[in-house]
Amino acid sequence: MRAADRLWWARVIRASPLVDAEYYGAQLGVPRVPRDVAIAHYVVRGFRRGMSLNPLFDDLIAGGDLPEVLRVPALYAYLVSERETVQVHPWWDAVDVSRRVGSPGLEHVWSDPGAEVEVAAAGRSMVLPVSEFRRRAIAAARTWRRPSSPPPMPVGPSRTSIVVRPLQAHDRRYARKLVQLLDLDRTGEVVVPLVGVDASQWVGAHLLAGIVPGLTLRGHRRRVVWSDVISDAIGDVDSGVVVILDARAEFSVADIRHLEEAAREGATVIPAHRGQDGTVAGLGAADIGGRRPWGVLQDHPVEDIDAVDPVLEVPLLLGRTLAGPLDVLAPALRHAADSATEVSRRIPSDVPRRVLTRLRAVLEEPQLAYRAERAARTHAASHRALVQPTIEAAGYEVISWPSGEGDGEAPLLRWRPPRPGAQRWAIKICSPAGRQGAVWGDAHFARGLAAALRRRGHTVVVDTYDARDRTTSYLDDVNVAVRGPYRIDPPRSRVRVGVNLLWIISHPDDVTRDEVAAFDRVFAASESWSRSSSARWGVAIESLLECTDTDLFHPRGVKRTEDIVFVGTARGIARPSVVAPLAAGIPVLVYGPDWRPFISQSAIAARSLPHERLAERYESASIVLNDQWPAMRKHGFMAMRPFDVVAVGGRVISEQVEGIDTVFEGAVVTYRDAAHLVSLLRADPDTIFPDAEELARVGERIRRDHSFDARAVVLDEAARSLLTADGPGPSERAG
């Protein structure tokens, strides 16, 4: 099948006039390559290294707008899509050209020998003939994987600061990061080490350097030592300040300036690093008696940072983002340091080491691991004294410190309730950490539930899927596993286990008896499934439907339009609730990613819609469409969207699910099949839905009876009954 795919990709690409064999040969490092050989190499392995068959087509940038680019070559995906709507390069606007000429912009300029393109970035622009653009791209491609020795770093009075921002392979955000650095409006130097980058990144960065002055590029092989990369970027300069940004993390321009300003005060500073699982990687580090330095509050939920001071003095630095005076950092970096912790050991003791806790670098991409150091036992007492106030500010007291005799690297803590009767709750969800998981419905669900539980006086943290079994789970009184597409077991702990609740909201066909039997109380968002599964497995499962976040979903008095709206991802299928109306000529505004293979681009209103704007969009729509996963529909699990829409006074047409008519009293109209859906959408909505007064009444009841606050009451009472049955209250149960 793989061979058949490649043959088909090659056949489609071979029919296109966009293949530039000379440009591809430059990336391979050969003077000439036959056209068919270039295509074959590209479809077999080249596209996975960001190599491109056309200098005006950046595979990484184009791939961001195209489906299945992790599986298929970006050029193939482009050729079989609506090409007029695809942005194919970071430095020239193919979509704008398409609008002006009425045909795909890339093909238009490539086929015209006299064509010119406007190349623009970071507020600078120039018009280049396509032939000159191609010449520059070929020249840059010839140096990929064969970088020559970089020239010495320039030294001058204007070099008051250096910002070092490494780039790594496969980073589709590379262009935005480069422009962001040039947008800093500085008089200093911006240095970008290109560490084993893909061809598109290499060529794109070199083209930008020819457009906008002030960008210095340094080429490096894939496997390098972190300190060597940074030392090369800094060169022999030892005046001013340096800001070093972790290649894995995202920063705003304000974040970078904040680091730079803090470094100008004479301190070495770092942000509060967060790991790829979303937990705290460390507020600096300390030698507290273990075999390795302890990242302060390492493996704690990020919510624990909120209570500590905005600026902390710490014994050691941590991570790969740091800033400080060059005369302090440069000598330390030149001694083969592999991490900020090792760098900070070489900094003079009178130089402050600080963490900016409100600046949180989220590590979203893998990178070479750095060497873990052995802790210096002689520093244990002073380091403990320095970090203990931070531990206490986060709400904990220390039960015992590590002794280095196999009892771990972290101190054993006890959580201190901020008020009598308060509990520490951990909501565990299936979404990943970082930007990718922030748009998941599970993440929005957790935020709504957390807010409701906090209103009941509890401390609440949210654990992403990779943090579901974090080592600090022993500090939590109550764990709520929100069961979505993946199984979440109760956390394991050799120290202490809290109360474990399970709330099943989707994918009931994947749930097993062993899974539910591991929890103290089990809830499911379906009355019928709860009854049948309880009888089948002999385990008590209580019904607890999904609900709405009334902090966000409430009427705003927005005027209703005639728009028919669908919000959601394509899920990799042609969802009938969207495709059938469009095929019948009924306009539907679709908000969501991954729809290109299934519907016309003209129907896609936006690839995403911010969660905070959903309520207004639902209220203003004439009708909001809703469908269900087949297993959820079969087993009576109602999705969250009807609750949200009706809560704002909106109207929904949905697939039939058991109980939906009773819960929503006509504010949700159901359809049997695609033909029935089309007939409903062709009718006057006012004839199939209740009037405005009745919709308002139903919406008020949904906000009252089906809110996260209402669900929090049920969960809170369940947890309290279990904690009482277990013995002492949470404030008396030591870690």
Side-chain angles (χ1 to χ4, degrees):
M1 289 181 65
R2 187 181 299 115
D5 280 345
R6 290 169 175 170
L7 287 172
W8 179 252
W9 301 337
R11 179 180 178 182
V12 172
I13 294 171
R14 189 178 293 115
S16 168
L18 296 175
V19 177
D20 186 334
E22 183 182 357
Y23 175 60
Y24 200 83
Q27 297 164 74
L28 291 174
V30 296
R32 294 183 181 277
V33 58
R35 187 175 188 271
D36 283 350
V37 172
I39 295 170
H41 186 277
Y42 173 72
V43 300
V44 171
R45 63 174 61 92
F47 78 93
R48 299 192 185 279
R49 289 298 316 276
M51 298 174 70
S52 174
L53 285 165
N54 188 288
L56 290 165
F57 185 90
D58 183 313
D59 268 50
L60 291 178
I61 299 301
D65 276 347
L66 295 166
E68 293 193 278
V69 291
L70 297 179
R71 187 184 73 85
V72 306
L75 184 58
Y76 165 79
Y78 168 80
L79 292 172
V80 297
S81 73
E82 294 180 66
R83 302 191 296 279
E84 296 86 350
T85 63
V86 181
Q87 199 61 265
V88 300
H89 203 277
W91 316 137
W92 73 280
D93 193 343
V95 175
D96 179 65
V97 175
S98 299
R99 283 194 294 263
R100 288 189 282 108
V101 303
S103 63
L106 175 58
E107 283 89 334
H108 175 79
V109 298
W110 186 250
S111 62
D112 182 0
E116 296 178 325
V117 290
E118 182 179 9
V119 183
R124 305 287 184 92
S125 66
M126 64 175 66
V127 176
L128 291 177
V130 170
S131 58
E132 174 60 17
F133 187 100
R134 177 176 179 269
R135 185 195 66 77
R136 294 188 183 195
I138 289 174
R142 287 191 177 122
T143 63
W144 180 55
R145 293 195 288 194
R146 295 166 297 281
S148 58
S149 299
M153 294 291 294
V155 179
S158 65
R159 283 177 54 85
T160 58
S161 63
I162 303 175
V163 176
V164 182
R165 177 53 143 152
L167 287 180
Q168 298 183 123
H170 314 315
D171 187 346
R172 295 188 183 279
R173 294 164 285 171
Y174 87 90
R176 183 162 60 84
K177 291 178 179 179
L178 288 172
V179 172
Q180 179 191 60
L181 294 175
L182 295 172
D183 280 342
L184 286 171
D185 190 25
R186 62 179 52 256
T187 58
E189 187 75 18
V190 174
V191 186
V192 179
L194 304 173
V195 183
V197 295
D198 297 331
S200 287
Q201 295 168 296
W202 182 272
V203 174
H206 281 78
L207 287 172
L208 178 64
I211 301 168
V212 183
L215 178 65
T216 300
L217 305 175
R218 319 287 278 189
H220 297 272
R221 295 182 179 275
R222 181 174 296 275
R223 299 187 180 277
V224 291
V225 178
W226 176 73
S227 61
D228 290 345
V229 172
I230 305 305
S231 295
D232 175 59
I234 294 173
D236 296 327
V237 183
D238 58 5
S239 62
V241 300
V242 61
V243 179
I244 301 165
L245 305 176
D246 196 319
R248 302 169 293 177
E250 287 281 354
F251 301 91
S252 67
V253 170
D255 291 338
I256 301 171
R257 287 175 176 156
H258 194 180
L259 284 167
E260 184 181 39
E261 290 165 4
R264 291 192 189 282
E265 298 175 1
T268 53
V269 295
I270 60 171
H273 279 75
R274 294 167 59 181
Q276 285 182 269
D277 64 357
T279 62
V280 179
L283 304 181
D287 298 330
I288 58 172
R291 291 166 297 180
R292 306 290 182 198
W294 175 57
V296 180
L297 296 185
Q298 180 178 351
D299 213 22
H300 279 247
V302 72
E303 290 89 346
D304 284 350
I305 304 178
D306 295 337
V308 305
D309 293 337
V311 181
L312 296 177
E313 299 282 342
V314 294
L316 298 170
L317 305 176
L318 182 76
R320 290 188 171 175
T321 294
L322 68 157
L326 266 165
D327 59 346
V328 171
L329 285 180
L333 286 163
R334 292 183 187 122
H335 283 84
D338 289 327
S339 70
T341 304
E342 191 175 348
V343 169
S344 61
R345 292 191 190 280
R346 301 176 184 274
I347 295 173
S349 58
D350 60 339
V351 177
R353 300 162 176 82
R354 295 173 180 162
V355 180
L356 308 180
T357 63
R358 301 299 180 261
L359 199 169
R360 300 173 187 179
V362 184
L363 309 185
E364 296 189 341
E365 302 167 7
Q367 192 179 42
L368 301 176
Y370 52 82
R371 176 166 54 87
E373 307 168 76
R374 289 199 169 275
R377 301 279 179 85
T378 57
H379 295 155
S382 62
H383 284 200
R384 288 173 180 176
L386 192 55
V387 302
Q388 184 155 344
T390 299
I391 296 172
E392 293 174 351
Y396 303 98
E397 59 181 293
V398 179
I399 302 301
S400 64
W401 295 97
S403 64
E405 303 301 327
D407 56 352
E409 316 299 335
L412 187 64
L413 307 177
R414 177 193 285 126
W415 179 65
R416 299 181 305 188
R419 62 191 66 83
Q423 302 157 2
R424 181 176 170 87
W425 287 61
I427 302 172
K428 300 180 183 294
I429 56 178
C430 293
S431 58
R435 296 183 319 114
Q436 180 184 359
V439 299
W440 278 45
D442 301 54
H444 303 314
F445 190 100
R447 283 194 289 271
L449 179 58
L453 288 167
R454 290 180 185 124
R455 284 191 283 270
R456 297 187 63 80
H458 300 307
T459 295
V460 188
V461 302
V462 177
D463 292 323
T464 61
Y465 187 70
D466 288 338
R468 65 194 182 279
D469 197 26
R470 54 180 164 78
T471 59
T472 54
S473 291
Y474 73 91
L475 295 164
D476 306 322
D477 295 308
V478 185
N479 299 294
V480 182
V482 181
R483 206 325 182 158
Y486 312 124
R487 175 172 175 165
I488 301 177
D489 291 320
R492 297 163 293 178
S493 175
R494 294 176 297 176
V495 182
R496 168 180 179 260
V497 177
V499 167
N500 294 299
L501 309 178
L502 176 64
W503 190 358
I504 303 165
I505 64 171
S506 69
H507 292 72
D509 50 334
D510 294 335
V511 179
T512 65
R513 185 191 186 283
D514 289 343
E515 180 179 351
V516 301
F519 288 84
D520 299 310
R521 290 278 289 273
V522 181
F523 302 88
S526 166
E527 293 183 1
S528 60
W529 188 88
S530 298
R531 288 193 305 269
S532 62
S533 298
S534 296
R536 183 169 69 254
W537 292 334
V539 178
I541 301 176
E542 304 167 54
S543 172
L544 193 64
L545 302 183
E546 291 201 48
C547 53
T548 186
D549 182 355
T550 53
D551 290 341
L552 179 64
F553 294 98
H554 54 82
R556 290 168 167 77
V558 178
K559 183 178 180 180
R560 179 166 284 142
T561 67
E562 296 183 356
D563 295 343
I564 300 172
V565 169
F566 181 91
V567 180
T569 177
R571 297 181 187 156
I573 59 173
R575 295 173 72 164
S577 59
V578 173
V579 174
L582 288 173
I586 297 172
V588 177
L589 293 177
V590 178
Y591 297 83
D594 308 327
W595 281 101
R596 275 186 178 274
F598 308 111
I599 63 176
S600 170
Q601 178 71 14
S602 61
I604 303 175
R607 294 180 61 194
S608 63
L609 186 64
H611 191 62
E612 59 272 14
R613 290 182 52 201
L614 273 178
E616 182 179 346
R617 178 69 283 201
Y618 288 160
E619 188 176 1
S620 67
S622 172
I623 294 170
V624 177
L625 298 176
N626 177 67
D627 59 13
Q628 305 263 162
W629 283 99
M632 291 181 65
R633 184 172 67 251
K634 175 183 177 182
H635 295 293
F637 282 75
M638 282 177 267
M640 196 172 181
R641 181 170 294 114
F643 291 97
D644 292 341
V645 178
V646 176
V648 302
R651 307 183 295 199
V652 183
I653 293 183
S654 172
E655 285 184 303
Q656 174 64 45
V657 182
E658 181 181 355
I660 198 169
D661 299 322
T662 303
V663 171
F664 294 104
E665 300 183 80
V668 176
V669 174
T670 58
Y671 64 90
R672 298 181 301 274
D673 51 33
H676 187 205
L677 170 61
V678 170
S679 68
L680 288 172
L681 291 173
R682 283 179 171 156
D684 182 351
D686 293 336
T687 64
I688 62 175
F689 287 100
D691 60 25
E693 183 178 348
E694 178 66 6
L695 285 173
R697 184 193 67 79
V698 175
E700 191 279 331
R701 182 181 59 78
I702 293 296
R703 295 193 299 275
R704 182 189 67 240
D705 298 341
H706 296 282
S707 65
F708 276 113
D709 288 281
R711 302 296 184 259
V713 171
V714 177
L715 296 173
D716 193 9
E717 290 176 350
R720 289 186 185 278
S721 67
L722 290 164
L723 288 168
T724 301
D726 286 346
S731 62
E732 299 172 321
R733 291 159 58 182

